Amino acid sequence: MSQVKLSELPKTIAASLLEIGAVALSPNEPFTWTSGLKSPIYCDNRLTMSYPAIRELVADGFAAVIRERYPDVEVIAGTSTAGIPHAAWVAHKLGLPMAYIRDKAKGHGKQNQIEGRIEPGQKVVVIEDLISTGGSSLKAGLAVREAGAEVLAVLAIFTYQFEQATSAFAEANMPLETLSNYSELIEAAVELGKVKSDDMLKLQAWREDPQSFGK
């Protein structure tokens, strides 16, 4: 990969997400998620598509992880919709077939949930943009398994590091890796002056108990 070492990726990706506003932090005036959860962070990794240098960094990072840890992969599969462009760029870099996974099967035609071709027995890496509770990403991985293929891992750009997601992937015996994470992000945010060091404890408390945040 170009320029950035694998060990430096978490910090570099975190700083890049902050730089383009893909991640916003507001510890004192929390955002309200669709679920109703109060959160000091809002993440929109789709913005990475609009920044060639950063989307290249993300694709290089995914490709480096796959070459080092999952060299037997045969298909790159993106989750619908945010994982699709990243999966396409990674598949192109690795010279591999690409597919994508819908959140549910189509209600017409062949009623496919997986678009593209994944054959039974093939080794697949699933690409996602963001891990929160992990539910939708895990569902995509299970769809690949139901098709008879082997999921080597689910890779994502960023994770909030919720214990719920870690436990869910562990229970499903499905490896999960991310290029960056919430801990690296808040450290980068302090270094870049995006938040005050006094806000660190509040930001850490949200990850440990998000349901109680702001109450």
Side-chain angles (χ1 to χ4, degrees), residues 158-197:
F158 184 78
T159 175
Y160 295 123
Q161 295 179 295
F162 290 151
E163 181 57 33
Q164 182 180 352
T166 303
S167 298
F169 276 89
E171 288 174 10
N173 194 28
M174 190 177 296
L176 168 66
E177 297 197 43
T178 61
L179 299 183
S180 191
N181 58 61
Y182 185 74
S183 297
E184 291 284 352
L185 183 90
I186 58 177
E187 287 186 12
V190 171
E191 288 183 15
L192 294 170
K194 299 289 186 181
V195 295
K196 298 177 182 176
S197 57

CSV table of all heavy atoms in Angstrom, one decimal, residues 158-197:
chain,number,residue,atom,x,y,z
A,158,PHE,N,-15.0,1.9,10.2
A,158,PHE,CA,-15.0,2.5,11.5
A,158,PHE,C,-16.0,1.7,12.4
A,158,PHE,O,-17.0,1.2,11.9
A,158,PHE,CB,-15.4,4.0,11.4
A,158,PHE,CG,-15.4,4.7,12.7
A,158,PHE,CD1,-14.2,5.2,13.2
A,158,PHE,CD2,-16.6,4.9,13.4
A,158,PHE,CE1,-14.2,5.9,14.4
A,158,PHE,CE2,-16.6,5.6,14.6
A,158,PHE,CZ,-15.4,6.1,15.1
A,159,THR,N,-15.6,1.7,13.7
A,159,THR,CA,-16.5,1.0,14.7
A,159,THR,C,-16.7,1.9,15.9
A,159,THR,O,-15.7,2.6,16.3
A,159,THR,CB,-16.1,-0.3,15.1
A,159,THR,OG1,-16.9,-0.8,16.1
A,159,THR,CG2,-14.6,-0.3,15.7
A,160,TYR,N,-17.9,1.9,16.5
A,160,TYR,CA,-18.1,2.6,17.7
A,160,TYR,C,-17.6,1.8,18.9
A,160,TYR,O,-17.6,2.3,20.1
A,160,TYR,CB,-19.6,2.9,18.0
A,160,TYR,CG,-20.2,3.9,17.0
A,160,TYR,CD1,-21.3,3.5,16.2
A,160,TYR,CD2,-19.7,5.1,16.8
A,160,TYR,CE1,-21.9,4.3,15.3
A,160,TYR,CE2,-20.3,6.0,15.9
A,160,TYR,CZ,-21.4,5.6,15.1
A,160,TYR,OH,-21.9,6.5,14.2
A,161,GLN,N,-17.2,0.6,18.7
A,161,GLN,CA,-16.6,-0.3,19.7
A,161,GLN,C,-17.6,-0.7,20.8
A,161,GLN,O,-17.3,-0.9,21.9
A,161,GLN,CB,-15.4,0.3,20.4
A,161,GLN,CG,-14.2,0.5,19.4
A,161,GLN,CD,-13.0,1.1,20.1
A,161,GLN,OE1,-13.1,2.3,20.5
A,161,GLN,NE2,-11.9,0.4,20.2
A,162,PHE,N,-18.9,-0.8,20.4
A,162,PHE,CA,-19.9,-1.3,21.3
A,162,PHE,C,-19.7,-2.8,21.6
A,162,PHE,O,-19.4,-3.6,20.7
A,162,PHE,CB,-21.3,-1.1,20.8
A,162,PHE,CG,-21.8,0.3,20.7
A,162,PHE,CD1,-22.7,0.7,19.7
A,162,PHE,CD2,-21.3,1.3,21.5
A,162,PHE,CE1,-23.1,2.0,19.6
A,162,PHE,CE2,-21.8,2.6,21.4
A,162,PHE,CZ,-22.7,3.0,20.5
A,163,GLU,N,-19.8,-3.1,22.9
A,163,GLU,CA,-19.6,-4.5,23.3
A,163,GLU,C,-20.7,-5.4,22.6
A,163,GLU,O,-20.4,-6.5,22.3
A,163,GLU,CB,-19.8,-4.6,24.9
A,163,GLU,CG,-19.6,-6.0,25.4
A,163,GLU,CD,-18.3,-6.6,25.0
A,163,GLU,OE1,-17.3,-5.9,24.9
A,163,GLU,OE2,-18.2,-7.9,24.8
A,164,GLN,N,-21.8,-4.8,22.4
A,164,GLN,CA,-22.9,-5.6,21.7
A,164,GLN,C,-22.4,-6.1,20.4
A,164,GLN,O,-22.7,-7.3,20.0
A,164,GLN,CB,-24.1,-4.7,21.6
A,164,GLN,CG,-25.3,-5.4,20.9
A,164,GLN,CD,-26.5,-4.4,20.8
A,164,GLN,OE1,-26.5,-3.3,21.3
A,164,GLN,NE2,-27.5,-4.9,20.1
A,165,ALA,N,-21.7,-5.3,19.6
A,165,ALA,CA,-21.3,-5.7,18.3
A,165,ALA,C,-20.2,-6.8,18.4
A,165,ALA,O,-20.2,-7.8,17.7
A,165,ALA,CB,-20.7,-4.5,17.5
A,166,THR,N,-19.2,-6.5,19.4
A,166,THR,CA,-18.1,-7.5,19.6
A,166,THR,C,-18.7,-8.9,19.9
A,166,THR,O,-18.3,-9.9,19.4
A,166,THR,CB,-17.2,-7.0,20.7
A,166,THR,OG1,-16.7,-5.7,20.3
A,166,THR,CG2,-16.0,-7.9,20.9
A,167,SER,N,-19.7,-8.9,20.9
A,167,SER,CA,-20.3,-10.1,21.3
A,167,SER,C,-21.0,-10.8,20.2
A,167,SER,O,-20.9,-12.1,20.0
A,167,SER,CB,-21.2,-9.9,22.5
A,167,SER,OG,-20.5,-9.3,23.6
A,168,ALA,N,-21.7,-10.1,19.4
A,168,ALA,CA,-22.6,-10.7,18.3
A,168,ALA,C,-21.7,-11.4,17.3
A,168,ALA,O,-22.0,-12.5,16.8
A,168,ALA,CB,-23.4,-9.6,17.6
A,169,PHE,N,-20.6,-10.7,16.9
A,169,PHE,CA,-19.7,-11.3,15.9
A,169,PHE,C,-19.0,-12.5,16.5
A,169,PHE,O,-18.7,-13.6,15.9
A,169,PHE,CB,-18.7,-10.3,15.4
A,169,PHE,CG,-19.2,-9.5,14.3
A,169,PHE,CD1,-19.9,-8.3,14.5
A,169,PHE,CD2,-19.0,-9.9,12.9
A,169,PHE,CE1,-20.4,-7.5,13.4
A,169,PHE,CE2,-19.6,-9.2,11.9
A,169,PHE,CZ,-20.2,-8.0,12.1
A,170,ALA,N,-18.6,-12.4,17.8
A,170,ALA,CA,-18.0,-13.6,18.5
A,170,ALA,C,-18.9,-14.8,18.5
A,170,ALA,O,-18.5,-15.9,18.3
A,170,ALA,CB,-17.5,-13.2,19.9
A,171,GLU,N,-20.2,-14.5,18.9
A,171,GLU,CA,-21.1,-15.6,19.0
A,171,GLU,C,-21.4,-16.3,17.6
A,171,GLU,O,-21.6,-17.5,17.5
A,171,GLU,CB,-22.5,-15.1,19.5
A,171,GLU,CG,-22.4,-14.7,21.0
A,171,GLU,CD,-23.7,-14.1,21.5
A,171,GLU,OE1,-24.7,-14.1,20.7
A,171,GLU,OE2,-23.7,-13.6,22.6
A,172,ALA,N,-21.3,-15.5,16.5
A,172,ALA,CA,-21.5,-16.0,15.2
A,172,ALA,C,-20.2,-16.6,14.6
A,172,ALA,O,-20.2,-17.1,13.5
A,172,ALA,CB,-22.0,-14.9,14.3
A,173,ASN,N,-19.1,-16.5,15.4
A,173,ASN,CA,-17.8,-17.0,15.0
A,173,ASN,C,-17.4,-16.4,13.6
A,173,ASN,O,-17.0,-17.1,12.7
A,173,ASN,CB,-17.8,-18.6,14.9
A,173,ASN,CG,-16.4,-19.1,14.8
A,173,ASN,OD1,-15.5,-18.5,15.2
A,173,ASN,ND2,-16.3,-20.3,14.1
A,174,MET,N,-17.6,-15.1,13.5
A,174,MET,CA,-17.3,-14.4,12.3
A,174,MET,C,-16.3,-13.3,12.6
A,174,MET,O,-16.6,-12.3,13.4
A,174,MET,CB,-18.6,-13.8,11.7
A,174,MET,CG,-18.4,-13.3,10.3
A,174,MET,SD,-20.0,-12.7,9.6
A,174,MET,CE,-20.9,-14.2,9.5
A,175,PRO,N,-15.0,-13.3,12.2
A,175,PRO,CA,-14.1,-12.3,12.5
A,175,PRO,C,-14.5,-10.9,12.0
A,175,PRO,O,-15.1,-10.8,10.9
A,175,PRO,CB,-12.8,-12.7,11.7
A,175,PRO,CG,-13.0,-14.2,11.5
A,175,PRO,CD,-14.5,-14.4,11.4
A,176,LEU,N,-14.3,-9.9,12.8
A,176,LEU,CA,-14.6,-8.5,12.5
A,176,LEU,C,-13.3,-7.7,12.7
A,176,LEU,O,-12.7,-7.7,13.8
A,176,LEU,CB,-15.7,-8.0,13.4
A,176,LEU,CG,-16.0,-6.5,13.4
A,176,LEU,CD1,-16.5,-6.0,12.0
A,176,LEU,CD2,-16.9,-6.1,14.5
A,177,GLU,N,-13.0,-6.9,11.7
A,177,GLU,CA,-11.9,-6.0,11.8
A,177,GLU,C,-12.3,-4.6,11.2
A,177,GLU,O,-13.0,-4.6,10.3
A,177,GLU,CB,-10.6,-6.5,11.0
A,177,GLU,CG,-10.1,-7.8,11.6
A,177,GLU,CD,-8.7,-8.1,11.1
A,177,GLU,OE1,-7.9,-7.2,11.1
A,177,GLU,OE2,-8.4,-9.3,10.7
A,178,THR,N,-11.7,-3.6,11.8
A,178,THR,CA,-12.0,-2.2,11.3
A,178,THR,C,-10.7,-1.4,11.1
A,178,THR,O,-9.7,-1.7,11.8
A,178,THR,CB,-12.9,-1.5,12.2
A,178,THR,OG1,-12.3,-1.3,13.5
A,178,THR,CG2,-14.2,-2.2,12.4
A,179,LEU,N,-10.7,-0.5,10.2
A,179,LEU,CA,-9.5,0.3,9.9
A,179,LEU,C,-9.3,1.3,11.0
A,179,LEU,O,-8.2,1.7,11.2
A,179,LEU,CB,-9.7,1.1,8.6
A,179,LEU,CG,-9.9,0.2,7.3
A,179,LEU,CD1,-9.9,1.0,6.1
A,179,LEU,CD2,-8.7,-0.9,7.2
A,180,SER,N,-10.4,1.8,11.7
A,180,SER,CA,-10.2,2.7,12.8
A,180,SER,C,-11.3,2.5,13.8
A,180,SER,O,-12.2,1.6,13.5
A,180,SER,CB,-10.2,4.2,12.3
A,180,SER,OG,-9.8,5.0,13.3
A,181,ASN,N,-11.3,3.3,14.8
A,181,ASN,CA,-12.3,3.0,15.9
A,181,ASN,C,-12.5,4.3,16.7
A,181,ASN,O,-11.8,5.3,16.6
A,181,ASN,CB,-11.9,1.8,16.8
A,181,ASN,CG,-10.5,2.1,17.4
A,181,ASN,OD1,-10.3,3.0,18.1
A,181,ASN,ND2,-9.6,1.2,17.0
A,182,TYR,N,-13.5,4.2,17.6
A,182,TYR,CA,-13.9,5.3,18.4
A,182,TYR,C,-12.8,5.8,19.3
A,182,TYR,O,-12.6,7.0,19.5
A,182,TYR,CB,-15.2,4.9,19.2
A,182,TYR,CG,-15.8,6.0,20.0
A,182,TYR,CD1,-16.5,7.0,19.4
A,182,TYR,CD2,-15.7,6.0,21.4
A,182,TYR,CE1,-17.1,8.0,20.1
A,182,TYR,CE2,-16.2,7.1,22.2
A,182,TYR,CZ,-17.0,8.0,21.5
A,182,TYR,OH,-17.6,9.0,22.3
A,183,SER,N,-12.1,4.9,19.9
A,183,SER,CA,-11.0,5.3,20.9
A,183,SER,C,-9.9,6.1,20.1
A,183,SER,O,-9.5,7.2,20.6
A,183,SER,CB,-10.3,4.0,21.5
A,183,SER,OG,-11.3,3.3,22.2
A,184,GLU,N,-9.5,5.6,18.9
A,184,GLU,CA,-8.6,6.4,18.2
A,184,GLU,C,-9.1,7.7,17.7
A,184,GLU,O,-8.4,8.7,17.7
A,184,GLU,CB,-8.2,5.6,16.9
A,184,GLU,CG,-7.4,4.4,17.2
A,184,GLU,CD,-5.9,4.6,17.5
A,184,GLU,OE1,-5.5,5.8,17.4
A,184,GLU,OE2,-5.2,3.7,17.9
A,185,LEU,N,-10.4,7.8,17.4
A,185,LEU,CA,-11.0,9.0,17.0
A,185,LEU,C,-11.0,10.1,18.0
A,185,LEU,O,-10.7,11.3,17.7
A,185,LEU,CB,-12.5,8.7,16.5
A,185,LEU,CG,-13.2,9.9,16.0
A,185,LEU,CD1,-13.0,10.0,14.5
A,185,LEU,CD2,-14.6,10.0,16.3
A,186,ILE,N,-11.4,9.8,19.3
A,186,ILE,CA,-11.5,10.8,20.3
A,186,ILE,C,-10.1,11.3,20.6
A,186,ILE,O,-9.9,12.5,21.0
A,186,ILE,CB,-12.3,10.4,21.5
A,186,ILE,CG1,-11.7,9.2,22.2
A,186,ILE,CG2,-13.8,10.2,21.1
A,186,ILE,CD1,-12.5,8.8,23.4
A,187,GLU,N,-9.1,10.4,20.6
A,187,GLU,CA,-7.7,10.9,20.8
A,187,GLU,C,-7.3,11.8,19.7
A,187,GLU,O,-6.6,12.9,20.0
A,187,GLU,CB,-6.8,9.7,20.9
A,187,GLU,CG,-6.9,8.9,22.2
A,187,GLU,CD,-5.9,7.8,22.3
A,187,GLU,OE1,-4.9,7.8,21.5
A,187,GLU,OE2,-6.1,6.9,23.2
A,188,ALA,N,-7.6,11.5,18.5
A,188,ALA,CA,-7.2,12.3,17.3
A,188,ALA,C,-8.0,13.7,17.4
A,188,ALA,O,-7.4,14.7,17.1
A,188,ALA,CB,-7.6,11.6,16.0
A,189,ALA,N,-9.2,13.6,17.9
A,189,ALA,CA,-10.0,14.8,18.0
A,189,ALA,C,-9.4,15.8,19.0
A,189,ALA,O,-9.4,17.0,18.8
A,189,ALA,CB,-11.5,14.5,18.4
A,190,VAL,N,-8.9,15.3,20.1
A,190,VAL,CA,-8.3,16.2,21.1
A,190,VAL,C,-7.0,16.8,20.5
A,190,VAL,O,-6.7,18.0,20.6
A,190,VAL,CB,-8.0,15.4,22.4
A,190,VAL,CG1,-7.1,16.2,23.3
A,190,VAL,CG2,-9.3,15.0,23.1
A,191,GLU,N,-6.2,15.9,19.8
A,191,GLU,CA,-4.9,16.4,19.2
A,191,GLU,C,-5.2,17.5,18.2
A,191,GLU,O,-4.4,18.4,18.1
A,191,GLU,CB,-4.2,15.2,18.6
A,191,GLU,CG,-3.6,14.2,19.6
A,191,GLU,CD,-2.8,13.1,18.9
A,191,GLU,OE1,-2.5,13.3,17.7
A,191,GLU,OE2,-2.5,12.1,19.5
A,192,LEU,N,-6.2,17.3,17.4
A,192,LEU,CA,-6.5,18.3,16.4
A,192,LEU,C,-7.3,19.5,16.9
A,192,LEU,O,-7.7,20.4,16.1
A,192,LEU,CB,-7.3,17.6,15.3
A,192,LEU,CG,-6.6,16.5,14.5
A,192,LEU,CD1,-7.5,15.7,13.6
A,192,LEU,CD2,-5.4,17.1,13.7
A,193,GLY,N,-7.7,19.5,18.2
A,193,GLY,CA,-8.4,20.6,18.7
A,193,GLY,C,-9.9,20.6,18.4
A,193,GLY,O,-10.6,21.6,18.5
A,194,LYS,N,-10.4,19.4,18.0
A,194,LYS,CA,-11.8,19.3,17.6
A,194,LYS,C,-12.7,19.3,18.9
A,194,LYS,O,-13.9,19.7,18.8
A,194,LYS,CB,-12.1,18.1,16.8
A,194,LYS,CG,-11.3,18.0,15.5
A,194,LYS,CD,-11.9,19.0,14.5
A,194,LYS,CE,-11.2,18.8,13.1
A,194,LYS,NZ,-11.7,19.8,12.1
A,195,VAL,N,-12.2,18.7,20.0
A,195,VAL,CA,-12.8,18.7,21.3
A,195,VAL,C,-11.8,19.1,22.3
A,195,VAL,O,-10.6,18.9,22.1
A,195,VAL,CB,-13.5,17.4,21.6
A,195,VAL,CG1,-14.6,17.1,20.6
A,195,VAL,CG2,-12.5,16.2,21.6
A,196,LYS,N,-12.3,19.4,23.5
A,196,LYS,CA,-11.3,19.7,24.6
A,196,LYS,C,-11.0,18.5,25.3
A,196,LYS,O,-11.8,17.5,25.4
A,196,LYS,CB,-12.0,20.7,25.6
A,196,LYS,CG,-12.4,22.1,24.9
A,196,LYS,CD,-13.1,23.0,25.9
A,196,LYS,CE,-13.5,24.3,25.3
A,196,LYS,NZ,-14.3,25.1,26.2
A,197,SER,N,-9.8,18.4,25.9
A,197,SER,CA,-9.4,17.3,26.7
A,197,SER,C,-10.3,17.0,27.9
A,197,SER,O,-10.5,15.8,28.3
A,197,SER,CB,-7.9,17.5,27.2
A,197,SER,OG,-7.9,18.7,28.0
